[in-house]
């Protein structure tokens, strides 16, 4: 039956509530946890719905994750790929944004526990907390091989990358200098390939003529993949073309080479040792731990097994979307990419509206519009249904799609101008080294 009123009275609860003064007593509350692609688009899709929307995120900004690698490699500044969530939703009168860490969820009482033992009741819940890096039981590797999931990660990687060249410039020992100029990226997916290509371009083009004691062009960039090919989600022919393009940029691609150890001085691949001053991780992810706290079935990666309308079994008012959800379609898992998260967010919003009207939500169907990865200047691959593109045409398609999805007119304009400048000059504007090592 249609929703007729909230069962939660914030004035009656014993716990301190973050937003008691903002409660709209006549409207049901939709709490969204996570301000990524899925969560943010779910909130926007509820703009005209007769609900109160509360979006909670541990950071105050939405990050355009597909371009994080460009922040990490000094191509863009963080401000150009991130936007304050409050600014994005500032004109949405039914939306409230809270900055806080969600520590638990009580499904029976319909309460989200947030930072400081505070609670936020809900009538509907949408979880979109994504994934984090997975080190396959070797958590000690994280200190020596950071991953790339946030702006903080990108800035830390940029610091390591730029500092490596500076240290090599003043290092008198030739062996140590060679290690400092060796960059190892573990994981041959899109993030790993993009990082490898960008670092190769920096060393061979951006830094040329700027150092006096070292030749940046002699830097060694290695992409290590445990399976038999990089970018394995693409067709084999495209994967092979991607490898060729990376090798032309100067990247050493090692496939069938699982890493067995990582320490502060480099990596080991079986009996082979590679001394490296910078090691980056792009080899695997696992779901946010929040999914496991729902006490519902999860897969080996910690992703929640959802029903066809993205709700969880036994709780039709709770939806899990994006990378946190295990969604299968036509016998295959839906890829953990931004377009899928966006579509899930919008579907979850429609499902909320349907339940408010007493209707049964329809099943989620992902519309795959293709995938693409950029590898460097005029180098990319794209797989759009039966069409395969590589090289300059794929690179242009990648530029266009990412500009369209980037949030904020200012960001689109600045990024476009920065890309044009970089293409013409090989320059990278965000090369400041700030903070302590």
């Amino acid at each position: 039956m249609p929703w007729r009123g909230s069962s939660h009275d914030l004035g009656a609860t014993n716990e301190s509530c973050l937003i008691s003064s903002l409660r709209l007593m006549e409207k049901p509350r939709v709490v969204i946890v996570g301000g990524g692609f899925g969560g943010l688009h779910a909130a926007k899709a509820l703009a005209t719905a007769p609900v109160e929307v509360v979006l909670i995120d541990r950071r105050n900004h939405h990050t355009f994750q597909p371009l994080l690698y460009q922040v990490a490699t000094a191509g863009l500044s963080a401000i150009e790929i991130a936007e304050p969530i409050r600014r994005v939703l500032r004109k949405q009168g039914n939306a409230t944004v809270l900055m806080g860490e969600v520590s638990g969820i009580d499904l029976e009482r319909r309460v989200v526990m947030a930072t400081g033992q505070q609670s936020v009741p809900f009538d509907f819940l949408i979880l979109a907390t994504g994934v984090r890096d997975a080190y396959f039981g070797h958590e000690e590797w994280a200190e020596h091989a950071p991953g790339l999931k946030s702006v903080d990660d990108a800035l830390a990687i940029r610091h390591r990358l730029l500092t490596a060249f500076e240290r090599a410039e003043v290092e008198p020992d030739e062996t140590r200098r060679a290690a400092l100029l060796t960059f190892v990226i573990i994981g041959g997916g899109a993030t790993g390939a993009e990082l490898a290509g960008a670092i190769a371009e920096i060393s061979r083009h951006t830094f040329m003529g700027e150092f006096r004691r070292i030749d940046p062009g002699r830097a060694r960039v290695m992409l290590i993949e445990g399976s038999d090919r990089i970018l394995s989600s693409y067709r084999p022919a495209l994967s092979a073309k991607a490898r060729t393009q990376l090798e032309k940029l100067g990247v050493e691609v090692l496939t069938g080479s699982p890493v067995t150890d990582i320490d502060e001085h480099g990596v080991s691949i079986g009996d082979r040792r590679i001394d490296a001053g910078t090691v980056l991780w792009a080899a695997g992810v696992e779901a946010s731990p929040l999914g496991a706290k729902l006490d519902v079935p999860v897969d080996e990666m910690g992703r929640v097994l959802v029903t066809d309308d993205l709700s969880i079994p036994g709780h039709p008012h709770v939806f899990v979307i994006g990378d946190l959800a295990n969604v299968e379609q036509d016998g295959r898992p839906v890829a953990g990419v931004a377009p899928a998260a966006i579509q899930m967010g919008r579907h979850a919003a429609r499902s909320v509206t349907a339940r408010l009207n007493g209707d049964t939500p329809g099943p989620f169907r992902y519309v795959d519009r293709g995938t693409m990865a950029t590898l460097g200047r005029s180098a990319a691959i794209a797989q759009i249904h039966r069409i395969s593109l590589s090289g300059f045409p794929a690179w242009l398609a990648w530029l266009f799609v990412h500009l369209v999805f980037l949030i904020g007119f200012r960001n689109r304009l600045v990024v476009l101008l920065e890309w044009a400048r970089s293409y013409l000059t090989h320059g990278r504007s965000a090369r400041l080294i700030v903070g302590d090592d």
Side-chain angles (χ1 to χ4, degrees), residues 151-205:
V151 169
D152 290 339
D153 295 337
L155 296 177
I157 289 174
R158 187 179 73 187
H159 191 285
R160 288 194 182 207
L161 172 64
L162 299 180
T163 302
F165 287 94
E166 299 296 339
R167 287 179 171 172
E169 175 79 347
V170 298
E171 175 57 56
D173 183 78
E174 185 174 345
T175 300
R176 179 59 185 155
R177 189 187 312 126
L180 285 169
L181 292 176
T182 298
F183 302 88
V184 174
I185 300 93
I186 302 171
T191 299
E194 289 168 347
L195 281 170
I199 295 172
E201 286 198 330
I202 288 174
S203 63
R204 284 153 181 75
H205 298 287

